[in-house]
Amino acid sequence: MRQARRTGGLGIIIGALMLGMLLAALDQTIVSTALPTIVSDLGGLKELSWAVTAYMLSSTVSTPLWGKLGDQYGRKKLFQAAIVIFLAGSALCGLSQTMGGLIGFRALQGLGGGGLMVLAQAIVGDIVPVRERGRYQGFFGAVFAVSSVAGPLLGGLFVDHLSWHWVFYVNLPIGVLALAVISSALPPGTERTHHTVDYLGMVFLGGAAACLVLMTTWGGTAYSWGDPVVVGLGAASAVLLLLWWQAEKRAREPVLPPHLFRLRAFNVASLIGSVVGFAMFGSLTYLPLFLQVVQGVSPTMSGIHLLPMMGGLLVTSIASGQIITRTGRYKVFPIVGTAVVTLALHLLSRVGPDVSTLRLSVYLLVLGVGIGLVMQVLVIVVQNAAGFEDLGVATSGATFFRLIGGSFGVAIAGSIFTSRLGDDLARLSRTVSIPPGLERTVQSDPTVIRALPGETAAAFLGAYADAISHVFLYSAPVALVAFAAAWLLPEVPLRETTRPADPGECYGAAPSARSSLDEVERGLWRLADADMRRDYYRRLGDMAGMDLPPGAVWLLARLGTQGPQAGAELAGRAGVTLERSRPYGDLLVACGLASRDDDGVLALTPAGERAAARLVLDAREGLGRLIRDWNPEENPKLRELLRRLSHELLGAVADQPRNG
């Protein structure tokens, strides 16, 4: 696929991939501010949380399957299929006439969304040279960050100025554009990687998660906890988890290897991640309901009210990553972060109909700050604890549990809200004289409260505020458990390649299904990029004992790794003019390290080849020192990685010559 530069234009393809990922990322949050209006139109307040849960659950569970099938059968056709599935789900969501239909179509949309996220990141690895991949992956991290902030705001704007249907219809033109560009510009994949897809593991794990979510959603609301339906779901989830455990022991490439659970760091990080997912997505689901129903703000304004939370999350996640990079210490952040999240949830549990905008904004800012302090750390913890052979699955596993925690959190929050609201309205009907049937009407369409007489409206608004505050009240002890667990995180010196790469890794992204080798390569290139900004070729020449300026060292390395090239081509690759680059070629010729033919093509002499070989060896040893914690001398795959990257690194980008 690396011919993409010539066949379709790399920038166009990257833009299309970012559009596809933006669609999938936005749909995790864009629905939140539209949900109160959707409920008013379709009814089904009890099922409100499922409009979020269905999407998150199906996208999370399906991503490992998309990743493995993409490796086996090529990613272009699968990415096209994911777009089509996502667009079909979006159109059907917009056409929904019942809450049940919307929930089912959201699950279909999530199935396509999972493919968009995991395949877009994988395709970048196919079409972008390794030396430039980190920069483009950073763009995708920015997509997740932007979608977290823009989703609630855009949802409110569409509801206010168009209708809630456009929350889904907006995907259609963007998705069609992405599909057209990918179809015409992206070349078919030529490489295939054979994998044994763990179908049983995915089915059993996904089924167990679905049963648990249904049990927690229906228990105590639609059915009593002792009802055969709820008991049956609990038993089914237990059986499916047992079957999954047995299947993973026999699978050649398990989706989540059981021996990972013997790592304390993995277990603790997974628990904390689940709580963080609960706090973030639970808040995004029910805060707009509080703002629009209880405080009476517009959907657009409810999105604006959520900006302090997202702002705090963005700032602290980036800041914590920078501090961890400099100090190598990470344990303090989940401890402080979970404490702040617990405090924020407690504060939010005390809000009522009369809460001021400033006070609520401060509470949301505190919540965002706490979440941001934790999110960046979790992937670092598991990467630092896992062995090389488990690095890839441990990384995707940490993300998986955060998203599954979000699915459970939204479902459980919905159960708490529905149960408490039912109790409050029943109590209200006994103390306030209300017309028959009004209680059910208010549950079906909360917007009618604003049309009620003053005292009656205030009573109903109080019931809604109390039900939503109880969502946060019962969430606070869960966050406290995560705070206690954070003290159990082991803190060991960070491997260089596990230091924070970019904040995009934490913004609701689906597990990216990278292999262990991919994870090491990604970190190694990031470290090499940073090193090359510090006069790399001057230092490399000194190590090799060469009295040459940086530009000449770069040229020698380029010819040694890429073979003879014309002067104009070398200058273009170095990003300088031919006149500026020519003296370095003349110097190599004068030193007997290179020769130039009549066409201006430079080639190394035998002495030049020996000198270039020394540069490659020194570069390889330098890369080896960066990953010495992984013991590359004991792993043939890592040794081959060092050999390959040393050739790809040298001469890839010029270290700008200084003082000639």
Side-chain angles (χ1 to χ4, degrees), residues 45 65 79 113 122 154 172 185 201 232 239 259 283 308 403 405 427 488 544 578 581 592 607 618 643:
L45 182 66
L65 181 61
F79 191 71
L154 286 176
L172 301 181
V239 171
H259 64 258
S283 300
L403 295 176
R427 192 161 42 248
L488 301 177
L578 180 60
S581 67
D618 287 340
R643 186 203 67 77

Side-chain angles (χ1 to χ4, degrees), residues 439-646:
E439 176 188 338
R440 289 191 297 274
T441 302
V442 167
Q443 283 184 292
S444 177
D445 181 5
T447 60
V448 303
I449 296 176
R450 292 292 168 180
L452 297 176
E455 290 187 6
T456 305
F460 277 108
L461 291 177
Y464 264 87
D466 180 67
I468 295 172
S469 68
H470 271 72
V471 170
F472 299 108
L473 179 64
Y474 287 111
S475 302
V478 178
L480 197 60
V481 171
F483 170 71
W487 290 91
L488 301 177
L489 277 174
E491 183 166 51
V492 296
L494 280 180
R495 296 183 174 104
E496 287 295 324
T497 54
T498 62
R499 293 175 184 269
D502 61 70
E505 194 72 50
C506 66
Y507 290 104
S512 56
R514 290 189 291 261
S515 69
S516 296
L517 200 63
D518 291 335
E519 291 291 348
V520 173
E521 182 175 343
R522 184 169 178 262
L524 194 53
W525 272 114
R526 175 176 51 82
L527 294 168
D529 279 342
D531 193 36
M532 292 192 76
R533 298 190 198 100
R534 298 190 292 266
D535 204 13
Y536 177 78
Y537 286 99
R538 185 183 298 279
R539 290 181 284 112
L540 184 63
D542 291 343
M543 285 190 293
M546 297 178 183
D547 186 19
L548 294 172
V553 176
W554 178 86
L555 184 58
L556 182 63
R558 179 73 181 178
L559 294 173
T561 55
Q562 304 298 323
Q565 294 182 48
E569 182 180 357
L570 289 166
R573 185 63 185 173
V576 298
T577 63
L578 180 60
E579 291 74 17
R580 189 178 179 189
S581 67
R582 187 175 182 86
Y584 300 115
D586 293 342
L587 180 60
L588 294 183
V589 172
C591 293
L593 299 175
S595 62
R596 182 185 286 119
D597 64 17
D598 295 338
D599 295 324
V601 175
L602 279 171
L604 293 182
T605 64
E609 290 176 352
R610 290 192 295 272
R614 290 201 304 274
L615 293 177
V616 172
L617 180 61
D618 287 340
R620 187 186 309 169
E621 290 177 351
L623 291 173
R625 286 191 291 272
L626 293 175
I627 60 169
R628 60 184 178 273
D629 291 329
W630 296 112
N631 300 318
E633 65 280 355
E634 300 176 6
N635 192 298
K637 291 183 179 180
L638 288 178
R639 291 200 300 271
E640 171 59 23
L641 177 66
L642 291 175
R643 186 203 67 77
R644 175 169 59 83
L645 291 192
S646 61

Side-chain angles (χ1 to χ4, degrees), residues 124-160:
V124 172
D126 291 336
I127 65 174
V128 176
V130 182
R131 181 68 179 80
E132 303 173 20
R133 199 172 297 163
R135 178 161 58 97
Y136 287 102
Q137 292 286 7
F139 293 161
F140 288 99
V143 168
F144 284 110
V146 169
S147 67
S148 297
V149 176
L153 182 58
L154 286 176
L157 286 171
F158 285 132
V159 170
D160 276 342

Side-chain angles (χ1 to χ4, degrees), residues 37-230:
T37 305
I38 293 173
V39 169
S40 298
D41 193 11
L42 301 182
L45 182 66
K46 294 180 179 180
E47 289 81 34
L48 177 145
S49 63
W50 269 99
V52 178
T53 303
Y55 182 90
M56 292 180 59
L57 193 59
S58 64
S59 63
T60 302
V61 172
S62 67
T63 46
L65 181 61
W66 284 110
K68 292 291 179 68
L69 292 179
D71 284 341
Q72 283 189 295
Y73 302 112
R75 286 180 260 274
K76 178 178 179 178
K77 291 183 178 179
L78 278 174
F79 191 71
Q80 291 170 315
I83 294 177
V84 171
I85 293 172
F86 182 84
L87 293 182
S90 298
L92 292 170
C93 285
L95 295 170
S96 298
Q97 300 298 312
T98 65
M99 202 65 178
L102 175 65
I103 291 168
F105 297 141
R106 282 284 284 169
L108 177 65
Q109 194 185 26
L111 179 64
L116 290 178
M117 285 192 276
V118 71
L119 292 172
Q121 295 179 78
I123 289 173
V124 172
D126 291 336
I127 65 174
V128 176
V130 182
R131 181 68 179 80
E132 303 173 20
R133 199 172 297 163
R135 178 161 58 97
Y136 287 102
Q137 292 286 7
F139 293 161
F140 288 99
V143 168
F144 284 110
V146 169
S147 67
S148 297
V149 176
L153 182 58
L154 286 176
L157 286 171
F158 285 132
V159 170
D160 276 342
H161 299 287
L162 294 169
S163 73
W164 68 263
H165 304 275
W166 279 95
V167 169
F168 304 106
Y169 289 155
V170 69
N171 296 329
L172 301 181
I174 301 175
V176 168
L177 175 62
L179 182 62
V181 173
I182 291 296
S183 300
S184 60
L186 185 66
T190 56
E191 298 180 5
R192 298 288 188 274
T193 303
H194 178 71
H195 284 287
T196 302
V197 182
D198 183 19
Y199 292 107
L200 284 178
M202 293 177 187
V203 170
F204 290 149
L205 184 59
C211 287
L212 284 172
V213 170
L214 282 171
M215 182 184 72
T216 54
T217 302
W218 288 345
T221 54
Y223 304 95
S224 67
W225 285 105
D227 190 274
V229 172
V230 176

